[in-house]
Amino acid sequence: MWERSLPQALASISSQSGPAPRTVVENGAESASVAGIDDVAQAAGVSTATVSRALRGLPNVSEATRLRVLAEAARLGYVPSPSAASLATGRTRTIGLLTPWVNRWFFSNVIEGAERTLRGLGYDVLLYTFEVKQSATRRRVDPNVLRHRVDGTLVVGLPLDDDEVRSLVDLGRPLAFVGSGPADQVTARLDDVSTGREATRHLLDLGHRCVGHVTGVPDLVSSWSPPAERSHGYTLELADAGIEPDPELVVNGDFDVQGGRESTLGLLRRRPDVTAVFAASDEMAMGAMLAARDLGLDVPGDLSVIGVDGHDLAELVGLTTMAQDAYQQGADASLLLMEMISGAPVPASLTYPTELVDRGSTAPPRAPEAA
Amino acid sequence: MWERSLPQALASISSQSGPAPRTVVENGAESASVAGIDDVAQAAGVSTATVSRALRGLPNVSEATRLRVLAEAARLGYVPSPSAASLATGRTRTIGLLTPWVNRWFFSNVIEGAERTLRGLGYDVLLYTFEVKQSATRRRVDPNVLRHRVDGTLVVGLPLDDDEVRSLVDLGRPLAFVGSGPADQVTARLDDVSTGREATRHLLDLGHRCVGHVTGVPDLVSSWSPPAERSHGYTLELADAGIEPDPELVVNGDFDVQGGRESTLGLLRRRPDVTAVFAASDEMAMGAMLAARDLGLDVPGDLSVIGVDGHDLAELVGLTTMAQDAYQQGADASLLLMEMISGAPVPASLTYPTELVDRGSTAPPRAPEAA
DNA sequence: CGGAGGTGTGGGAGCGCTCCCTGCCGCAAG
DNA sequence: CTTGCGGCAGGGAGCGCTCCCACACCTCCG
């Protein structure tokens, strides 16, 4: 038979009942089954129901009993099984986080904010990435993967079509969006139209009249997507300044450095009269700066560039930008999700400010417009 | 009404709000409780055991029966419950991913590689971040959070102490490391000593003799951590060149832009004779470039800077670097974990190459060393 | 022609919790 | 002395799967 360890011997003394608890993993060698709730119950001399109540802080447990249970649980190294709890309750204490990328500034910051917040509240984060590529249609979001698996879903900057949104809603679990979301869903985001206007106005105020715009992926743009709204702001602001928006000045930068670079390259070659570019993200803006360099153009001398985000490296490259707090949006959206799970009323949406941070990549055009 | 504070949110979460509604809205008409395995069994006219076998592709099911079960399952929209399956099997088809950050280049790329790979193999990724700060001691890794919850653990660039490693090993589940790991554990990583040597040699070859080094957090540095090994490579290479390593030339940049900037600032003020800096990451290298700019120094004229990583934005800022493939390391380590789970033998460790990419932030020192 | 071995299937006991329901006890009110 | 009630606690039926075992049937071979 087995050797009983000291703690176990103590246990069977303190609990008047004879049978020994199952063995516990102590430092190292002896292999043993992990302590279950019944072991704790036995050790504490109470029923499993009482252990369950005590450990979860539910009422109807005397303080003395609770302390005894807590002590025994700690001593036995008891860790409840989430699977069993989920099966019994139907809740998982897990949030599904859907996002196209994790290696982009906005997304990684939102994810970090969400993860920290949710973990602080005892929730796990299940990560699902859905690559969004310019050409290829991405894998569709399959709600069944989430079914039975999460208590709520956080959609981070993922442009979903109506069917996908509906299928997520039909899961019957709380759902929140960050960065962009349908009007009738809980969303944490910027006022993208205003942001677009403000960025454009900054360029116009400097005297630019031929302002290009690098935006996101056109076919993935739903009416509620940030690139669409930022573009809209751009158009509105131009109109306000009495400038006819020219579709030829708007290019698709695919929301990354490379795309921003290539699209801007095309734009500048086609339209050498462009003196300023508003990019819908800092990463595309950096691409635009690279494009300028490729063409031997000086920034901001020959080309002014403004982005959106407040990327960590924007300072290094001297990029003027409309800065936002992505981490906070992730954290707050998580809180909203928690509220929804607990049945509390939540605001339909949270709007975050952007701040113009001038780092020198914008300046007045070199010479007054000729034509 | 959006006035609730965090503690309140917690309170209302932990008090459960009644049994979860078990009905689901189907497309339109009939609202029904979610189909379970028994419903499928009944519809297909077989037992639950057969449905389970059929759906999981196990043998001992005739092809005809399998097809019938598959059809009924699809028709009923049956989705198996992972909790129930986990409870019954003890496996979770989930991997725990431990990392200090998600918004840093190396980490986000590893995470993306791991997530894509694991999802492709039908595994979920549970994200756990453990913030590593220079001063504050980070939250310790608690293996109990993982217990019953994951089939394996992937530790990404997280410097763990021996106790923490042992506690993870004691979970009895496969464990793999990316970026850094104890010698006796499965690890995907660079040859950091060589990388450090090569970077340093590049600077020495250019003629530099007073080479600074920006490394990571000192008190978190275990012998197997990348910063330690890169530093070691730096020291070895200097020695090979007959240069006495000077501790004063090594500063701590905390692995981010800001830290790299401040530490380099301090270094350059203290030692104006420094003509080149080897930073253990691109982000710190960019900080070093900012520091040079702060002091009115030209890069590479007055100061050469080389980093490690191959950051997406290194090209934009013209940073010479030792490029590595972080995504692949995440993907490969995931594969190793899968192998370990299936009981296959795996190599003790995978080593990845780095490639010197010269982008112009390094050059010969302006003038031959005087003193 | 009998038994061995293989294939397809059903029955049902768990897995480790949660939570409804019941019961006991002590105390205050009627 | 009842009755009622609130605070504690235990019993036990699930939750929805998996997997061991039993069994029926078929084929093959000595």
Side-chain angles (χ1 to χ4, degrees):
Chain A
M1 304 311 285
W2 66 31
E3 300 271 37
R4 296 176 53 174
S5 67
L6 186 62
Q8 285 162 356
L10 284 174
S12 46
I13 290 167
S14 67
S15 67
Q16 56 276 68
S17 53
R22 283 195 274 173
T23 55
V24 181
V25 179
E26 227 59 295
N27 336 336
E30 83 186 283
S31 84
S33 56
V34 171
I37 197 173
D38 288 327
D39 302 314
V40 178
Q42 204 168 338
V46 297
S47 70
T48 63
T50 300
V51 173
S52 177
R53 278 187 293 253
L55 257 27
R56 289 183 301 150
L58 297 185
N60 292 334
V61 178
S62 71
E63 207 44 39
T65 305
R66 188 186 306 281
L67 288 177
R68 189 152 33 91
V69 168
L70 254 36
E72 288 303 319
R75 193 177 61 77
L76 295 173
Y78 168 68
V79 179
S81 154
S83 308
S86 296
L87 186 56
T89 62
R91 275 168 271 118
T92 60
R93 295 195 77 85
T94 300
I95 296 298
L97 176 10
L98 276 47
T99 183
W101 304 289
V102 354
N103 67 353
R104 299 266 223 274
W105 182 86
F106 177 75
F107 302 89
S108 63
N109 280 282
V110 170
I111 293 169
E112 208 167 293
E115 199 275 343
R116 299 254 160 88
T117 303
L118 290 169
R119 185 152 315 283
L121 296 169
Y123 272 71
D124 281 336
V125 174
L126 222 34
L127 185 64
Y128 295 83
T129 73
F130 293 83
E131 193 163 17
V132 175
K133 277 261 178 85
Q134 182 160 17
S135 47
T137 54
R138 71 163 156 72
R139 179 165 54 101
R140 285 185 65 80
V141 172
D142 176 9
N144 288 333
V145 183
L146 280 327
R147 176 159 287 153
H148 296 153
R149 208 169 303 231
V150 301
D151 289 350
T153 307
L154 201 56
V155 179
V156 179
L158 188 60
L160 301 178
D161 64 32
D162 292 347
D163 277 354
E164 289 174 314
V165 172
R166 186 144 28 82
S167 72
L168 287 177
V169 171
D170 286 350
L171 280 177
R173 302 285 182 164
L175 176 64
F177 291 76
V178 182
S180 63
D184 57 346
Q185 298 292 326
V186 173
T187 305
R189 67 176 303 173
L190 306 181
D191 180 340
D192 286 296
V193 175
S194 297
T195 301
R197 290 189 79 125
E198 221 176 308
T200 308
R201 187 175 335 126
H202 174 68
L203 297 174
L204 293 174
D205 285 351
L206 287 168
H208 296 277
R209 283 299 169 269
C210 188
V211 177
H213 178 43
V214 184
T215 181
V217 187
D219 44 321
L220 286 170
V221 165
S222 35
S223 57
W224 43 269
S225 82
E229 300 208 342
R230 289 173 196 172
S231 293
H232 189 217
Y234 158 82
T235 307
L236 289 178
E237 197 63 28
L238 287 184
D240 279 7
I243 298 176
E244 179 75 16
D246 181 349
E248 209 193 27
L249 294 178
V250 179
V251 295
N252 169 26
D254 212 13
F255 265 95
D256 63 11
V257 175
Q258 200 50 33
R261 182 184 201 162
E262 288 165 8
S263 58
T264 306
L265 223 37
L267 171 67
L268 293 176
R269 287 203 175 110
R270 203 166 61 239
R271 293 290 300 263
D273 55 327
V274 167
T275 60
V277 165
F278 161 43
S281 82
D282 276 359
E283 272 141 333
M284 293 194 291
M286 294 176 187
M289 294 175 81
L290 278 171
R293 181 195 298 173
D294 291 340
L295 295 174
L297 297 176
D298 178 55
V299 173
D302 301 311
L303 185 74
S304 284
V305 177
I306 186 171
V308 176
D309 272 349
H311 194 290
D312 293 318
L313 299 173
E315 180 182 4
L316 179 59
V317 299
L319 175 64
T320 297
T321 188
M322 305 293 304
Q324 64 171 319
D325 190 343
Y327 184 98
Q328 196 61 43
Q329 290 175 61
D332 290 350
S334 302
L335 251 23
L336 287 185
L337 217 40
M338 296 291 94
E339 294 288 319
M340 294 164 79
I341 286 174
S342 70
V346 298
S349 126
L350 298 177
T351 306
Y352 293 77
T354 48
E355 187 195 357
L356 175 63
V357 180
D358 191 335
R359 292 212 180 84
S361 67
T362 51
R366 203 178 279 284
E369 298 270 321
Chain B
M1 289 290 119
W2 177 235
E3 294 288 333
R4 304 168 55 112
S5 67
L6 195 81
Q8 285 166 345
L10 253 172
S12 50
I13 289 162
S14 63
S15 72
Q16 70 269 10
S17 49
R22 307 201 51 73
T23 54
V24 159
V25 181
E26 225 61 303
N27 325 346
E30 76 186 294
S31 95
S33 62
V34 171
I37 197 173
D38 289 326
D39 301 316
V40 178
Q42 202 170 339
V46 296
S47 70
T48 63
T50 300
V51 173
S52 177
R53 279 187 293 253
L55 258 27
R56 288 183 302 151
L58 297 184
N60 291 335
V61 179
S62 72
E63 207 45 38
T65 305
R66 188 187 305 281
L67 290 177
R68 192 151 31 92
V69 169
L70 254 37
E72 288 303 320
R75 194 176 61 76
L76 295 174
Y78 168 69
V79 179
S81 155
S83 308
S86 296
L87 186 56
T89 61
R91 275 168 272 116
T92 61
R93 293 195 78 82
T94 300
I95 297 298
L97 177 9
L98 275 48
T99 183
W101 304 288
V102 352
N103 67 354
R104 299 265 225 271
W105 181 86
F106 177 76
F107 303 88
S108 63
N109 280 282
V110 170
I111 293 169
E112 208 167 294
E115 198 276 343
R116 298 255 159 87
T117 303
L118 291 169
R119 185 152 315 285
L121 295 169
Y123 273 71
D124 281 335
V125 174
L126 221 35
L127 185 64
Y128 295 83
T129 73
F130 293 82
E131 191 162 19
V132 175
K133 277 261 178 86
Q134 182 162 16
S135 47
T137 54
R138 70 163 157 73
R139 180 165 51 101
R140 285 185 65 80
V141 172
D142 175 10
N144 289 331
V145 182
L146 280 327
R147 175 156 287 152
H148 298 307
R149 208 170 302 233
V150 301
D151 289 350
T153 306
L154 202 56
V155 179
V156 180
L158 189 59
L160 301 179
D161 64 34
D162 292 347
D163 277 352
E164 289 174 315
V165 172
R166 184 145 29 82
S167 71
L168 288 176
V169 170
D170 285 349
L171 279 177
R173 303 285 182 163
L175 176 64
F177 291 75
V178 182
S180 63
D184 57 345
Q185 298 292 325
V186 174
T187 305
R189 66 177 303 171
L190 306 181
D191 181 340
D192 286 296
V193 175
S194 297
T195 300
R197 290 189 80 124
E198 222 176 304
T200 308
R201 188 176 334 127
H202 175 68
L203 297 174
L204 294 174
D205 285 351
L206 287 170
H208 294 279
R209 284 298 168 270
C210 187
V211 177
H213 178 43
V214 183
T215 182
V217 186
D219 44 321
L220 287 170
V221 165
S222 36
S223 58
W224 42 269
S225 82
E229 300 208 340
R230 290 173 196 172
S231 293
H232 189 216
Y234 157 83
T235 307
L236 289 178
E237 197 62 28
L238 287 183
D240 279 8
I243 299 177
E244 178 75 17
D246 180 350
E248 209 192 29
L249 293 177
V250 179
V251 293
N252 169 27
D254 210 14
F255 266 96
D256 64 10
V257 175
Q258 199 50 35
R261 182 184 201 163
E262 288 165 7
S263 57
T264 306
L265 223 36
L267 171 66
L268 294 176
R269 287 204 176 108
R270 202 168 60 238
R271 292 290 299 261
D273 54 327
V274 167
T275 61
V277 165
F278 161 42
S281 82
D282 277 0
E283 272 141 333
M284 292 193 292
M286 293 175 187
M289 294 175 81
L290 278 172
R293 182 195 297 172
D294 290 341
L295 296 175
L297 298 175
D298 179 55
V299 173
D302 301 312
L303 185 74
S304 284
V305 177
I306 186 169
V308 176
D309 271 349
H311 194 289
D312 294 316
L313 299 174
E315 181 182 3
L316 179 60
V317 299
L319 175 64
T320 297
T321 188
M322 306 294 301
Q324 64 171 321
D325 190 342
Y327 184 99
Q328 196 61 43
Q329 290 175 60
D332 290 349
S334 303
L335 251 25
L336 287 184
L337 217 40
M338 298 288 94
E339 295 287 314
M340 294 165 78
I341 286 174
S342 70
V346 298
S349 129
L350 298 177
T351 305
Y352 294 77
T354 47
E355 187 195 357
L356 175 64
V357 180
D358 191 334
R359 292 213 181 83
S361 66
T362 50
R366 203 180 280 283
E369 299 271 321

